[in-house]
Amino acid sequence: MSRCYMQLALADRRRLHQLVAAKVPVNEMARQLGRHRSTIYREIKRNTFHDRELPDYNGYYSTVANDIAQDRRRRLRKLRRHPTLRTEIINQLEARWSPEQIAGRLLSDGLSRIRVCKETIYRFIYSKEDYGLGLYQYLPEARRKRRAMRSRKPRDGAFPATHRISQRPDFVGDRSRFGHWEGDLLIFERPLGHANITTLVERKSRYTVLIKNPSRHSRPIMDKIIRAFSPLPAFARQSFTLNRGTEFAGFRALEEGIGACSWFCDPSAPWQKGTVENTNKRIRRFLPGTTDLAVVSQRDLLHLTRHVNDQPRKCLGYRTPTEVFMAHLHEDR
């Protein structure tokens, strides 16, 4: 598949309609169309025809799906053609309604002739013509701050091709294997200083380790990881999958210090280490970006780690990460 994404054409949707009618698995649909399976899931979910009065006619139809997709691209212009709808959305944003709430309310009120999805409202808020209205200030803080930040991505030379995730052995990516970790860096608002937190998650058990760092310098971060993982047996710390931030440029120290291999995700591909990204969302409930780490000690992070690791998880059969991690430690020994 080409690295440059292209929209599905009518011919693609006709082929997809045939595959859906034949009840072909989504992975096979994606293979035949040369697309990622998430593209197929999204296409079927967003462009399936629904009729409340005639539910027997619900389904995915190629021409109808193509019309729905084209109509979605025209919705931003709809907001310009319907000043009443535009004014209503602005008033609801000023009343602190989220785009999801606005789009859901329009749908529930039965305004099918002017259906607007949340993505359209976001594009309306951040479009060049409407940015001067300052509508972004009524969004939640995480959505409001979309200004460019200084990149933490070093040149490709810092991470050789031999350590790219595409070169990672298949058994490392197998979530049924124990001892393979994913890592990331939690950063906080710049005026609060350079302190940050390294997040490390064991992929199978979801066991989490948090390490506080005074800066983003790579070697001190690597040294702390080595000290934290040295007590573990070798089978419990076989590899680390990391992003391409400068803080992990000294990754060779991990192999020299504890014998662990390091692999690096592709640029702008956080889903390749989805376990740690999901964990970061959990940690942000307790440590939002406005947290001043000067008043947070490593002991505080240890208490938070215990709290996260002692919560039952559905993906673990409602066992806790600590229980699963310790079970594998004793079993493999």
Side-chain angles (χ1 to χ4, degrees):
M1 184 179 76
S2 173
R3 295 181 63 88
C4 181
Y5 178 78
M6 296 180 63
Q7 300 287 343
L8 287 173
L10 179 58
D12 298 323
R13 292 190 168 97
R14 285 173 177 165
R15 179 58 181 157
L16 182 58
H17 168 66
Q18 297 172 355
L19 297 174
V20 171
K23 298 183 178 180
V24 175
V26 172
N27 288 343
E28 179 61 20
M29 295 182 190
R31 189 191 67 80
Q32 292 193 25
L33 291 173
R35 302 285 180 146
H36 194 275
R37 60 186 180 189
S38 63
T39 301
I40 306 302
Y41 276 119
R42 183 172 61 250
E43 170 67 20
I44 295 174
K45 180 180 179 180
R46 299 177 72 182
N47 297 332
T48 294
F49 175 73
H50 296 282
D51 192 315
R52 297 180 181 179
E53 297 180 358
L54 299 172
D56 292 340
Y57 290 94
N58 293 350
Y60 183 86
Y61 307 103
S62 57
T63 54
V64 176
N66 200 62
D67 291 341
I68 294 175
Q70 291 182 356
D71 180 64
R72 187 179 296 109
R73 298 191 191 103
R74 292 193 295 262
R75 285 177 189 169
L76 188 57
R77 287 176 292 183
K78 272 187 181 178
L79 292 177
R80 309 199 189 287
R81 293 199 307 267
H82 296 83
T84 303
L85 178 62
R86 175 189 174 98
T87 303
E88 181 180 358
I89 290 177
I90 292 176
N91 292 338
Q92 290 169 341
L93 286 170
E94 292 176 348
R96 300 293 177 176
W97 286 33
S98 69
E100 292 85 350
Q101 291 172 326
I102 298 173
R105 187 57 176 265
L106 290 173
L107 181 61
S108 65
D109 287 346
L111 298 179
S112 57
R113 59 185 181 86
I114 322 178
R115 291 181 58 187
V116 179
C117 64
K118 62 181 181 181
E119 290 87 355
T120 300
I121 298 177
Y122 276 121
R123 288 197 295 269
F124 165 65
I125 293 171
Y126 287 105
S127 66
K128 294 181 179 179
E129 297 179 16
D130 300 300
Y131 197 82
L133 298 176
L135 299 177
Y136 63 89
Q137 64 182 312
Y138 301 113
L139 295 175
E141 186 174 4
R143 284 283 187 174
R144 192 186 315 155
K145 297 182 177 180
R146 286 192 169 185
R147 61 182 181 274
M149 297 184 66
R150 185 173 60 185
S151 174
R152 298 183 291 116
K153 308 300 179 185
R155 294 181 179 178
D156 289 343
F159 303 112
T162 54
H163 288 72
R164 292 177 181 173
I165 197 169
S166 59
Q167 305 300 315
R168 187 178 68 176
D170 292 339
F171 71 87
V172 177
D174 186 356
R175 293 185 179 274
S176 64
R177 298 293 188 96
F178 177 70
H180 301 286
W181 298 73
E182 295 180 2
D184 200 1
L185 202 73
L186 281 178
I187 59 176
F188 299 83
E189 290 189 352
R190 192 174 301 171
L192 300 175
H194 300 287
N196 56 77
I197 295 174
T198 305
T199 311
L200 298 156
V201 184
E202 201 282 317
R203 185 183 289 121
K204 184 175 183 180
S205 64
R206 270 64 171 186
Y207 188 83
T208 303
V209 175
L210 300 179
I211 304 174
K212 181 180 177 181
N213 309 299
S215 69
R216 299 178 189 170
H217 295 150
S218 182
R219 189 53 197 244
I221 291 178
M222 295 297 108
D223 290 341
K224 287 192 174 185
I225 295 177
I226 292 172
R227 286 197 297 269
F229 282 78
S230 293
L232 292 176
F235 67 83
R237 44 174 170 79
Q238 300 180 52
S239 73
F240 293 86
T241 299
L242 310 165
N243 62 24
R244 297 161 60 87
T246 55
E247 61 274 3
F248 298 125
F251 67 94
R252 298 187 186 278
L254 294 178
E255 187 170 356
E256 298 171 358
I258 57 178
C261 299
S262 300
W263 310 99
F264 295 93
C265 300
D266 296 327
S268 303
W271 60 86
Q272 293 177 342
K273 52 179 180 61
T275 303
V276 71
E277 294 290 344
N278 179 274
T279 302
N280 285 345
K281 291 182 180 180
R282 294 173 178 268
I283 300 301
R284 285 296 191 186
R285 300 173 188 171
F286 308 96
L287 297 173
T290 56
T291 303
D292 185 0
L293 288 186
V295 298
V296 179
S297 65
Q298 183 62 45
R299 183 181 296 272
D300 296 329
L301 292 182
L302 181 59
H303 289 311
L304 175 57
T305 303
R306 288 174 178 171
H307 174 73
V308 172
N309 288 331
D310 289 341
Q311 289 185 335
R313 303 286 293 275
K314 181 179 179 180
C315 60
L316 301 177
Y318 294 101
R319 292 184 295 170
T320 66
T322 299
E323 293 172 342
V324 176
F325 186 80
M326 297 305 296
H328 282 292
L329 278 183
H330 296 308
E331 177 185 349
D332 293 347
R333 278 181 178 174

